Amino acid sequence: CRSNRGKTMCIVNPPEPATHDCSLQSQSNFEGPTDPNIRPLHHVVWPRWQRVPQRAEAMATPSNALAALLLCFTASTRPTAAAPTVSAQDEADPGGKPWIHGWGSGSDMLWADFGSATLLTPEQVAFIGKTYSIVSLEKCTGQAQHLSTEAAYGILSAELKKVNPNVKVLFYWHATLEIASPDHPASACYDAGRTFLEHPDWWLRNDDGTRHIDGPFVYRNLSNPDVQRYMINTPVGVQVKAPQNFDGVFYDGAIQSPYVNLSLSRAAAQNAAVNQVALAMSEALEAGEHAVGGHQVIGNGFAQYHSGNPGFPADNGTGMVPWMDGICVEHFGAFEMTNASNCSLIPEHMAAMMGDIAGAAALNKTVLIKGWPGPVNGPIDQFGPTIPPACKMGNGGETYADRGAMAARWFEPTYALFLLVADQTVFWSYSWWYNVKDGYYPSNPNSNSSAPAEWYPMLDSAVGSPLGDATRVAGGSGWVYHRAFEHADVEVDLADYIHGTVTFHSS
């Protein structure tokens, strides 16, 4: 447990969340040592906690860990367990309030995360600025024009705001990995990265003294107070240059990592610092003299890798919820949630993810869901997207036209899957990968795109506000979910989701 704004927050897995004692507990109650050399930005007791393997099957039920989190955020201020007198937002949010969308049409709920080797064309800027409520500009954007990520962000955020002053533009900043190679300093995508490479003591080292790397890139040693300041000061520096165009940080890689070549205590300290930096970053962005308010630090994110993959934590990312303004769900309906044998999903994993999203939304967190055209389980390359053979259409997706046709075919079931968890703070993206040409605007004679030439007509129709949560109903495989909206009904069988439907009312 820890304190935040005078409230006690517990990350626990109680047998009965409704009766859990939320008083502060001693560090001895948790497994795992903490590194005495880390200088925490905020006091924290770092637990290593486990998710209960069998969770409630109902979509709207979050994991036991999130259920306990919800309870403890409000326990000290509510007269009964069922009637909180303050919102979870007041107690859980480390910075500003969540971003919300309306229910006028599907387009109101859209967000995007992409990069581009060059700056965007005027046509791309116009479409993206008008279409998306939130845009995250990825690392290395503008590199082919010898621009740093910071410089490209400054240019594009201003251009997008000129088209739509209300669009929120996020600065991409990885939580642990420096996008630069010590052996090739010119590879640094960020101006700040050149400074980082000048400080070998900032690099994360394995226990044997070698660099902790991912390909050519080196990890940051977040136990170093100078690195913590670097992590916070870099986005604050971007904010200072144009505060009216800066809306926050897309904090990639925020999920816990095993750091297999580090001791347990050093790995725990590194993971703890990821969360601590996020909270301090959010507070710094809000408190600075140039702040205009409403900034978000969005952590990426939730997953559904289970015990078979030791590279991801047992909590599947839910432990970061108290520390972030929002959460990204990057693999929604794809990757580890896919069933390659039948071109569909693993229902238990998908239902679990839906429950975690509902839990985060209940805590008033901004949630950014990355949707995919079908059960994608690998990156796009010269041979097309990596998806189970049963899902291949056309010529397999090797051309822009093929991928556009596949995206059009998969749009309705993927949109239906999202609508099962749609909430006022939950946004959705639909594309193949992370280049701007991977489906973030319609294909046209002047610029290829992996989206169809006719932008998805269903987005123009209003579903209206939801009339309740999604419910599991009888029929199909036993994993059929239904949800009613003011102007539409949604139905998806998680074991056969290509046949998911969004049916608009005739009126």
Side-chain angles (χ1 to χ4, degrees):
C1 299
R2 71 183 185 90
S3 293
N4 187 357
R5 300 186 178 186
K7 306 299 180 185
T8 300
M9 300 189 297
C10 310
I11 305 176
V12 293
N13 229 350
E16 295 292 338
T19 59
H20 177 65
D21 178 8
C22 291
S23 60
L24 284 172
Q25 301 176 31
S26 68
Q27 185 169 346
S28 62
N29 288 351
F30 299 107
E31 290 183 42
T34 56
D35 190 329
N37 297 317
I38 188 170
R39 184 183 301 173
L41 298 165
H42 295 263
H43 174 70
V44 62
V45 177
W46 180 247
R48 294 205 301 155
W49 53 284
Q50 299 292 316
R51 164 196 300 263
V52 172
Q54 299 299 324
R55 294 187 294 174
E57 293 181 347
M59 181 284 296
T61 302
S63 64
N64 279 16
L66 269 179
L69 209 57
L70 279 160
L71 176 82
C72 295
F73 284 148
T74 57
S76 62
T77 58
R78 65 188 182 186
T80 67
T85 57
V86 297
S87 70
Q89 173 70 27
D90 295 331
E91 303 163 64
D93 194 300
K97 295 186 180 300
W99 293 333
I100 61 174
H101 61 72
W103 299 100
S105 71
S107 294
D108 293 341
M109 313 178 210
L110 292 183
W111 79 286
D113 173 35
F114 61 81
S116 175
T118 62
L119 296 176
L120 303 182
T121 67
E123 293 77 15
Q124 290 170 337
V125 169
F127 181 85
I128 289 166
K130 293 176 182 177
T131 302
Y132 297 97
S133 295
I134 303 167
V135 174
S136 168
L137 295 173
E138 276 272 349
K139 57 190 175 291
C140 304
T141 292
Q143 192 174 39
Q145 294 172 302
H146 308 290
L147 292 169
S148 68
T149 301
E150 296 98 321
Y153 176 91
I155 294 169
L156 291 177
S157 62
E159 291 181 350
L160 291 168
K161 294 276 189 178
K162 187 175 181 180
V163 171
N164 177 10
N166 295 320
V167 66
K168 306 294 186 182
V169 188
L170 294 170
F171 177 74
Y172 178 99
W173 192 225
H174 200 281
T176 58
L177 187 66
E178 189 65 42
I179 314 298
S181 168
D183 301 319
H184 303 283
S187 67
C189 284
Y190 292 82
D191 286 330
R194 296 176 176 85
T195 301
F196 179 87
L197 293 179
E198 294 171 357
H199 295 272
D201 58 314
W202 290 9
W203 309 347
L204 183 64
R205 303 277 179 175
N206 298 318
D207 289 346
D208 63 5
T210 59
R211 285 179 259 174
H212 194 88
I213 59 175
D214 185 346
F217 303 141
V218 66
Y219 280 80
R220 307 174 182 120
N221 179 13
L222 298 183
S223 294
N224 185 325
D226 290 331
V227 176
Q228 295 173 358
R229 283 188 284 270
Y230 165 81
M231 287 292 299
I232 296 164
N233 289 340
T234 297
V236 169
V238 177
Q239 175 196 37
V240 166
K241 290 182 179 180
Q244 70 278 8
N245 297 332
F246 184 93
D247 294 296
V249 173
F250 186 84
Y251 195 54
D252 199 7
I255 195 169
Q256 294 178 43
S257 172
Y259 296 103
V260 293
N261 294 317
L262 275 64
S263 67
L264 287 176
S265 61
R266 292 186 64 215
Q270 178 82 356
N271 281 317
V274 168
N275 289 335
Q276 295 163 357
V277 165
L279 183 60
M281 186 188 305
S282 177
E283 293 175 348
L285 292 171
E286 284 295 301
E289 60 179 311
H290 299 282
V292 295
H295 300 98
Q296 297 271 291
V297 174
I298 309 291
N300 189 19
F302 284 178
Q304 273 297 310
Y305 290 104
H306 290 263
S307 57
N309 189 325
F312 286 81
D315 75 342
N316 284 318
T318 56
M320 73 177 71
V321 169
W323 303 88
M324 311 287 167
D325 297 297
I327 300 294
C328 176
V329 184
E330 186 178 8
H331 293 181
F332 188 76
F335 295 91
E336 73 274 17
M337 281 175 272
T338 61
N339 184 337
S341 66
N342 68 355
C343 190
S344 195
L345 305 172
I346 301 172
E348 296 85 352
H349 291 190
M350 193 65 226
M353 174 63 77
M354 291 158 67
D356 286 345
I357 292 169
L363 288 169
N364 274 354
K365 300 293 180 178
T366 301
V367 181
L368 305 182
I369 291 177
K370 172 67 178 74
W372 303 81
V376 175
N377 58 12
I380 190 171
D381 58 23
Q382 67 270 30
F383 302 110
T386 306
I387 57 178
C391 305
K392 292 277 188 178
M393 298 180 187
N395 295 319
E398 290 88 350
T399 69
Y400 285 109
D402 285 341
R403 292 191 292 274
M406 294 167 70
R409 170 65 186 89
W410 278 98
F411 180 84
E412 182 175 356
T414 307
Y415 184 39
L417 192 66
F418 159 71
L419 288 175
L420 293 180
V421 296
D423 193 275
Q424 204 168 17
T425 67
V426 180
F427 296 79
W428 183 59
S429 176
Y430 184 69
S431 64
W432 287 104
W433 205 245
Y434 300 106
N435 186 289
V436 70
K437 292 187 175 183
D438 287 336
Y440 293 94
Y441 59 89
S443 188
N444 63 78
N446 297 321
S447 183
N448 287 321
S449 172
S450 295
E454 182 183 17
W455 193 247
Y456 312 105
M458 193 170 283
L459 289 174
D460 294 331
S461 299
V463 294
S465 300
L467 302 181
D469 293 330
T471 56
R472 190 171 171 182
V473 298
S477 68
W479 287 96
V480 178
Y481 285 86
H482 179 271
R483 193 178 191 190
F485 292 80
E486 285 182 291
H487 309 304
D489 287 288
V490 176
E491 190 162 287
V492 181
D493 187 336
L494 300 186
D496 185 28
Y497 98 99
I498 191 172
H499 295 112
T501 59
V502 182
T503 304
F504 291 92
H505 302 160
S506 58
S507 59

